[in-house]
Amino acid sequence: SPSLILDHRRQNFGNEAAVAEAEASLLVHAFEGGASVPPRDAAAALVRDGLAVVDAVVLQSAAARLRQHVDSRLSDVCGATPPDGEPLLGQIMCRRNRWDLKLDLSEHPVAEALRQLLDALGPALVAALGRGAQLFELGALVADAGAPRQPVHPDTPYSRSISVATCMLALQDVDLSMGPTHFLPRTHTERERSASWGRDPTDDDEIAAALESSSTRIPLLRCGDALLFDARTLHCGGAHVGKRGARRTLFYASFRASWAAGDWRGAGFEQPGTLLDRLRGRYHLSRSGVLVAAAPPLRKRVASLLSATVACAFGVGVGAP
């Protein structure tokens, strides 16, 4: 997702915003419209185009509550001393006025929004990734006025089959000035373009030609609308040139296919995605697309049973003096 970045991108270019502006000058020739689809057609659109927009999947009231929660949590995180343990902000390109905040399923606004999101898109995720896809990321992308455009990138390296799919939910109406996400449709199956995206397009004629020939789709989501995309699809966050205070907040959840549990094929992609450590490996999608808790490993179940047996034998436990 937004958190998976190529190290060499930062090392080679340093100023990511300058790279993004160079790319932007090459991506102005073909803007492509894209109508939203009903939930039942989202999986087919995902396979065909690498992305699908589905309208009104979450109630606006639930989206508003989650947005308030994200604003509060982000204010707390940014105003506090960095924790000694797990960082609560994920890695993200072009950090100025842009944040990637980890969220917790134990927080009601988060759990409710995800439930409604999966009610609509859970079956499409199962169709794309197969049964047992693990919760891989859970967070909110926040951009304030002044956030620069990002370089074009995929969130995962190229693979023959989809390994990660991301659902993004708009927590307010998004207009063009707020830097909506730009997508290059149908780049999820193009190995050369996906593998070589990190080169400087101003110095590489082949990549420049590829960018010039690509169409761009810029979905303008309304509050409660969702966008499902294949993490191999090339995309970037736009520049937020809107008025001060016009914050753009996107809730997102990513799921990884059960077969894709190994390391990524592609040096530099950072693992393991924007997710609180205590949630990692604990949730997956059922056959119907519902989020369910994973059973603990056998050794943990055995250890728990032995502990309970010992407690009973020695009179330790509930009701013991």
Side-chain angles (χ1 to χ4, degrees), residues 19 52 103 111 115 126 153 178 213 218 233 237 300 317:
V19 175
L103 295 176
R115 184 193 66 77
V126 173
H153 62 280
M178 297 168 73
S213 65
I218 309 175
T233 304
K300 287 189 177 181

Side-chain angles (χ1 to χ4, degrees), residues 83-98:
D84 294 331
E86 177 185 4
L88 299 179
L89 293 176
Q91 299 193 55
I92 192 170
M93 288 182 175
C94 297
R95 290 172 176 264
R96 181 163 63 88
N97 293 354
R98 193 188 303 270

